[in-house]
Every structure is written in C-alpha cells, then in structure tokens.
Amino acid sequence: MIEGVVNAAREAVVPLAVTGPTRPIDAVIDTGFNGFLTLPAALVSELQLPFVTRGRATLANGSEDFFDIHDAVVIWDGQPRRILTDVADTAPLAGMSLLDGHSLYVEVEEGGRVTIRAGAQPAAH
C-alpha cells in the first residue's frame, strides 16, 4: 500500500523513490496522463537516468510537443519497478500506467488521505 496526502491545491500527492542515486520525490497523481511518470529535466539529469527515445504528445490545446523519454526504476509498493519516464517542465506527475493494476482512494480535501492498493498485477512495459 502507498499512502499520500491531498495538498492545499487539492492535488493527490504520493511519495516515490526513484533510483539512480535513490532520491525521494513527491509526485502528483494525474489521471489525465496515461504514461508512467513525468520528471523535470534537472531531476532526470541529477538521477543520471538513461535516455531511451523521444516521444510526442498532443496537448490539451491541440498543439504537439516533443519530449525525451528515459529509463527509470521506482520503488512502487515496496518493490523496484522499471518504468519509462517522460521529461517535462512540470512537477513530478504519476500517471495511469504507474497506477495500472491498483486502486486509488482520495479524500478530496486539504490534508485528506491518498491510498493506493495493489489489485491485479501491473502490466510490464
């Protein structure tokens, strides 16, 4: 089980450990993001995450954006899990692919609980 908290901006935030040199981060759950994890370029560089490829996304305004994709390992529910990490100029975001096979419970109020529980096994990438 993974536990987090709802912040003052009503964002569901969970702690994650990303390995490179292992670094704890707080990631906002983004149910509109179908990837695994988005990290800012400075953090990807600090963690020395290996480059994999470039990706393309269509943004909400209809424009297209290109971004780097890196390989990473996160500690997810106590276990190491290899994932793809998108680089974006934003706070760390945990997407729906990371949550695959899990249930998410959020008490939507400042200080509310965020709970992620394992269900079916997550899909491998």
Side-chain angles (χ1 to χ4, degrees):
M1 180 170 60
I2 300 165
E3 294 183 305
V5 67
V6 174
N7 66 20
R10 303 289 191 273
E11 296 168 325
V13 179
V14 293
L16 295 177
V18 181
T19 64
T22 300
R23 169 99 151 52
I25 63 165
D26 287 329
V28 174
I29 302 291
D30 184 350
T31 60
F33 170 45
N34 64 359
F36 288 94
L37 184 65
T38 296
L39 295 174
L43 184 54
V44 169
S45 178
E46 176 186 326
L47 293 168
Q48 303 172 1
L49 300 180
F51 175 80
V52 175
T53 190
R54 298 254 312 144
R56 180 178 65 171
T58 302
L59 304 179
N61 67 5
S63 66
E64 287 190 343
D65 192 22
F66 295 88
F67 55 92
D68 290 343
I69 300 172
H70 291 255
D71 193 35
V73 175
V74 297
I75 306 304
W76 182 253
D77 204 15
Q79 300 297 315
R81 182 172 174 197
R82 183 169 300 278
I83 62 167
L84 295 175
T85 301
D86 300 346
V87 178
D89 187 21
T90 184
L93 301 173
M96 295 302 284
S97 290
L98 191 58
L99 293 167
D100 188 35
H102 292 72
S103 60
L104 170 66
Y105 174 77
V106 181
E107 294 174 350
V108 185
E109 61 185 10
E110 186 176 351
R113 288 185 313 162
V114 177
T115 306
I116 300 170
R117 285 197 164 89
Q121 291 297 316
H125 81 265

